[in-house]
């Protein structure tokens, strides 16, 4: 919820990391992925590749537009 009342809309993760509300929103999102079993952490093999993660920072509006 905190990210919805934030006055900033960061374009880069390093800007978002300077604001505790956005850090909490990112943590909440990653926790939901884990809770819903969308992904799981596994050790990386030396010869393997890693799938990247892109964070999109935007405020979600309700049906009323707020």
């Amino acid at each position: 919820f905190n990210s919805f009342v934030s006055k900033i809309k960061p374009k880069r993760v390093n800007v978002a990391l300077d604001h505790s509300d956005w850090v909490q929103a990112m943590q909440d999102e990653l926790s939901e992925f884990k809770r819903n079993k969308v992904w799981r952490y596994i050790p990386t093999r030396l010869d393997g590749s890693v799938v990247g993660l892109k964070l999109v920072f935007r405020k979600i509006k309700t049906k009323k537009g707020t």
Side-chain angles (χ1 to χ4, degrees):
F1 174 75
N2 291 338
S3 65
F4 303 122
V5 294
S6 176
K7 294 183 186 265
I8 67 156
K9 185 178 176 184
K11 298 214 183 259
R12 293 190 167 79
V13 72
N14 59 341
V15 175
L17 290 173
D18 289 337
H19 299 276
S20 62
D21 293 339
W22 283 105
V23 171
Q24 185 61 47
M26 288 186 283
Q27 242 353 76
D28 291 346
E29 188 73 14
L30 294 173
S31 295
E32 285 298 309
F33 288 162
K34 188 173 181 180
R35 185 179 71 81
N36 291 323
K37 298 181 181 174
V38 174
W39 66 11
R40 62 186 172 150
Y41 295 106
I42 58 170
T44 305
R45 296 184 348 207
L46 293 176
D47 62 342
S49 61
V50 178
V51 176
L53 174 69
K54 180 177 181 180
L55 297 169
V56 177
F57 302 101
R58 92 180 103 147
K59 299 176 188 177
I60 299 173
K61 295 182 180 181
T62 63
K63 290 181 182 178
K64 294 181 182 178
T66 58

